[in-house]
Amino acid sequence: MPGWWGKKSTKSKDPLPNLQNSSSGNSTKSSPSIKNERSRGDSRNRDNGGTPVTPIDSSRPKSFDEVSGIVFSRNSPRKSPDSSGYGVSSSGFSGFDSSSSLDRNYPLPRPSSDQIHVAGLGAGSASVSGSSMSSSASSDDHSNLDHGQLGGFRGQGDAKLSPLPSPTPRSRSGTTTSSPLHPRLAGLSLDSPSARLDDGKSECHRLPLPPSPSSPPSLPTPRSSAMSDCSSSNSSKWKKGKLLGRGTFGHVYVGFNSENGQMCAIKEVRVFSDDQSSKESLKQLNQEIMLLSQLSHPNIVQYLGSDLGEETLSVYLEYVSGGSIHKLLQEYGPFREPVIQNYARQILSGLAYLHGRNTVHRDIKGANILVDPNGEVKLADFGMAKHITSASSMLSFKGSPYWMAPEVVMNTNGYNLAVDIWSLGCTILEMATSKPPWSQYEGVAAIFKIGNSKDMPEIPDHLSSDAKSFIRLCLQREPSARPTASQLLDHPFVRDQSAARVGSVNMTKQAFPQAFDGSRTPTALDLRGSRRSLSPEGEFTSRQVLTVSRGMTSPRY
Ligand SMILES: Nc1ncnc2c1ncn2[C@@H]1O[C@H](COP(=O)(O)OP(=O)(O)OP(=O)(O)O)[C@@H](O)[C@H]1O
């Protein structure tokens, strides 16, 4: 066991930690989870009109859920398993040398965040994400929110409910996108349990332009067909296919456009039930729409449009048929290091792009990272993501416990983009072992390990020194000591382009050799991949893609 691991984690020897006696000595952290969603200066739960959080009966043993007001992730290892930068400079960072002391206590520069926008709705405030947790004593980061920059559900007709003006959202075709939100949806007050569209009819709204460079030339682009055609509902263009999976707030189906042959993923949420959970679902999905609609990057699942129907809100997303990293781990076991390197580089690339837009994902983990048949990795599930401001780092307590950064657990001074770097480190460990760090501990003990101990999660010995160095950098307890995503792109673990030259295709093949049985005919979307390779040197030819995509079996859903 490497010395820097600190003391060995001993399963369940720790009594359930008394979080009230947190070592940080901050009285507000007695129960990190309950209080953390509160905005500065306002501890009331705005979503429930200031109703105080139900006190916990201290006279009996408590589960973590009770202590924290948090319900654990469906992906929690102790729960049922998941059924479930572009041109970013290193901002003065001098690079990595794996043999140096960088991975110990190298004083790394803080991520630059000159102007970070607060754009998120206070999603998830009143309940729980299935793959994540959030405090129930939520306001919705109101103190951090600039509603003038985000469309939302606050107040019908509220002039503040405009989409983010900056940075100007552009589609991959370079055209400025319009608001993804139906005006009436934007004006829908979630505070009113009876909020409905006037006529209840299914309508479409102006949609952002799709990634035309990736669309097969022989096929009409989504914009030229379903995506920008507001004369009829998007839903009439997309036929709902098989169920891909269930999230906390709805179901995800395959969608097929019988007019142009394209496929998508349809995330569907029932919207007009007059219950809090439905409103919460809608709110979270709206947040995801607002954020995703402004993003365009090969390593981020592309938003294609949305459709508000009588009873459902459907969000059309790029279909990533390989399933999540979590699912691949479940099916095929731990990944080999070259695959981890390749995936890590792509995740970092997506994160560098996201962080360059001052947006934090907040729920990076294997279950929220999808993989294409050609090995292209996409960040998904932006329900937790937020734009943040440097002046008001977030205080909300959201994310998935085992992937959660110490500052989120303890939440002494809020947190920032660096939480995603911690979660990336956890995800790399997840890829190497099929389990997240601290998975040997039950929820509250894991939270204690993350938040109150100085221990480093166990890093497998079989990993290279570069990999270990990379993971240790990500898992620096002091957020400011963690490198930024763009800095990490210079780390030898991911900088080495030999893996990229081999190409994502071979990486995938190497990772899942049993999946390549030659049985599957390549699709148009497979061909699309040949024009979308991230790596400058690693562009693969259509032939390569054809060779590999044939036979990549989809994970079982
Ligand atoms: N764009 C997509 N392409 C292919 N599959 C997808 C896509 N988006 C989601 N899925 C799959 O659909 C299922 C449900 O996804 P969803 O994002 O709703 O929930 P989740 O991430 O499992 O949980 P939660 O939203 O509660 O965190 C998952 O299995 C996920 O892998």
Side-chain angles (χ1 to χ4, degrees):
M1 179 177 72
W4 40 260
W5 277 357
K7 69 183 177 192
K8 185 170 168 62
S9 311
T10 324
K11 178 180 169 154
S12 298
K13 289 250 165 112
D14 304 3
L16 280 186
N18 180 359
L19 293 173
Q20 307 242 344
N21 293 327
S22 151
S23 63
S24 68
N26 184 328
S27 62
T28 64
K29 301 177 295 308
S30 56
S31 175
S33 49
I34 286 184
K35 300 174 194 248
N36 288 341
E37 187 70 22
R38 295 175 184 167
S39 305
R40 291 182 198 276
D42 187 353
S43 61
R44 294 190 325 157
N45 179 349
R46 299 186 189 224
D47 277 9
N48 66 6
T51 305
V53 179
T54 306
I56 298 163
D57 176 8
S58 59
S59 64
R60 61 184 172 85
K62 303 167 186 64
S63 69
F64 178 71
D65 297 6
E66 292 171 308
V67 172
S68 63
I70 291 171
V71 175
F72 265 101
S73 162
R74 184 178 62 246
N75 300 326
S76 160
R78 296 284 170 182
K79 297 274 179 179
S80 60
D82 184 280
S83 51
S84 84
Y86 277 137
V88 184
S89 74
S90 295
S91 58
F93 181 67
S94 57
F96 294 92
D97 177 354
S98 59
S99 63
S100 75
S101 60
L102 268 176
D103 50 345
R104 281 174 263 279
N105 283 314
Y106 191 90
L108 291 161
R110 287 172 175 274
S112 79
S113 52
D114 299 329
Q115 191 204 359
I116 309 179
H117 300 287
V118 175
L121 283 173
S125 54
S127 65
V128 167
S129 159
S131 60
S132 316
M133 63 184 185
S134 65
S135 78
S136 58
S138 160
S139 80
D140 40 12
D141 299 343
H142 285 265
S143 65
N144 298 337
L145 293 178
D146 177 352
H147 291 295
Q149 293 183 334
L150 177 71
F153 295 100
R154 304 252 158 225
Q156 217 153 354
D158 189 332
K160 292 176 178 174
L161 297 171
S162 57
L164 281 166
S166 174
T168 306
R170 300 187 77 82
S171 75
R172 283 178 186 162
S173 61
T175 310
T176 303
T177 61
S178 56
S179 165
L181 201 62
H182 192 293
R184 295 156 97 189
L185 184 59
L188 183 64
S189 168
L190 284 180
D191 296 333
S192 162
S194 59
R196 291 175 183 276
L197 287 180
D198 294 342
D199 55 14
K201 284 181 186 159
S202 176
E203 295 185 17
C204 69
H205 55 76
R206 290 182 299 157
L207 295 164
L209 299 177
S212 58
S214 62
S215 301
S218 58
L219 297 171
T221 64
R223 180 173 185 251
S224 67
S225 55
M227 289 307 153
S228 61
D229 181 4
C230 285
S231 60
S232 62
S233 169
N234 277 313
S235 56
S236 65
K237 305 289 184 187
W238 295 105
K239 291 182 175 166
K240 198 162 85 181
K242 71 168 183 175
L243 181 71
L244 286 172
R246 293 180 179 85
T248 309
F249 298 116
H251 294 176
V252 180
Y253 301 89
V254 175
F256 182 72
N257 186 330
S258 50
E259 293 182 10
N260 65 15
Q262 290 188 318
M263 296 171 84
C264 74
I266 307 176
K267 202 165 190 172
E268 200 175 81
V269 170
R270 294 184 71 81
V271 289
F272 293 131
S273 315
D274 294 343
D275 62 80
Q276 186 60 37
S277 74
S278 181
K279 285 186 287 182
E280 186 60 36
S281 305
L282 189 55
K283 197 169 161 185
Q284 178 137 351
L285 200 55
N286 180 54
Q287 170 163 322
E288 198 167 345
I289 290 171
M290 293 307 298
L291 272 161
L292 266 176
S293 65
Q294 296 171 59
L295 305 177
S296 180
H297 188 278
N299 299 121
I300 292 176
V301 70
Q302 184 64 45
Y303 169 81
L304 298 173
S306 59
D307 199 16
L308 182 60
E310 253 179 84
E311 294 182 331
T312 57
L313 172 62
S314 300
V315 182
Y316 306 104
L317 301 165
E318 174 184 14
Y319 176 48
V320 191
S321 62
S324 69
I325 283 178
H326 172 79
K327 200 171 286 280
L328 291 171
L329 287 166
Q330 280 188 317
E331 288 194 28
Y332 304 107
F335 301 163
R336 294 181 196 164
E337 186 161 325
V339 180
I340 300 173
Q341 278 180 284
N342 185 21
Y343 285 8
R345 180 173 43 82
Q346 295 185 61
I347 297 166
L348 267 180
S349 190
L351 280 181
Y353 169 81
L354 204 59
H355 292 180
R357 299 170 69 91
N358 299 316
T359 299
V360 58
H361 186 285
R362 298 205 287 180
D363 205 10
I364 294 293
K365 60 179 179 176
N368 289 336
I369 302 168
L370 305 176
V371 186
D372 247 0
N374 61 9
E376 199 168 56
V377 160
K378 318 261 181 188
L379 305 184
D381 206 346
F382 282 72
M384 300 298 228
K386 266 193 195 303
H387 289 254
I388 58 175
T389 66
S390 52
S392 53
S393 57
M394 294 175 298
L395 286 168
S396 57
F397 190 58
K398 294 176 177 177
S400 301
Y402 292 94
W403 293 259
M404 199 174 269
E407 66 271 24
V408 183
V409 170
M410 302 312 295
N411 200 16
T412 47
N413 299 306
Y415 57 90
N416 57 28
L417 303 172
V419 303
D420 286 344
I421 302 301
W422 175 281
S423 300
L424 170 65
C426 296
T427 303
I428 290 172
L429 286 173
E430 181 187 4
M431 290 192 277
T433 66
S434 294
K435 288 176 288 194
W438 311 124
S439 60
Q440 68 270 40
Y441 293 97
E442 294 291 348
V444 71
I447 291 289
F448 180 78
K449 275 285 176 194
I450 298 165
N452 280 28
S453 79
K454 298 278 179 254
D455 293 355
M456 171 75 83
E458 209 167 313
I459 300 179
D461 265 339
H462 71 266
L463 292 178
S464 68
S465 57
D466 279 348
K468 289 173 180 168
S469 156
F470 187 96
I471 292 166
R472 278 152 36 196
L473 282 167
C474 292
L475 299 181
Q476 298 274 331
R477 289 191 168 272
E478 169 55 45
S480 63
R482 283 171 223 148
T484 65
S486 55
Q487 289 166 351
L488 281 168
L489 281 166
D490 280 338
H491 191 283
F493 179 59
V494 293
R495 189 187 56 203
D496 181 358
Q497 288 301 299
S498 62
R501 267 185 229 109
V502 172
S504 301
V505 168
N506 287 345
M507 288 298 103
T508 308
K509 202 168 185 175
Q510 207 175 331
F512 319 114
Q514 58 272 60
F516 294 86
D517 59 7
S519 64
R520 189 175 142 247
T521 304
T523 66
L525 287 178
D526 293 329
L527 290 168
R528 217 176 76 167
S530 64
R531 288 183 288 278
R532 300 190 63 202
S533 173
L534 239 195
S535 158
E537 305 98 281
E539 298 245 320
F540 18 80
T541 64
S542 296
R543 190 172 142 268
Q544 281 175 301
V545 173
L546 279 165
T547 303
V548 172
S549 60
R550 189 180 300 140
M552 174 69 184
T553 53
S554 292
R556 277 172 261 118
Y557 289 102

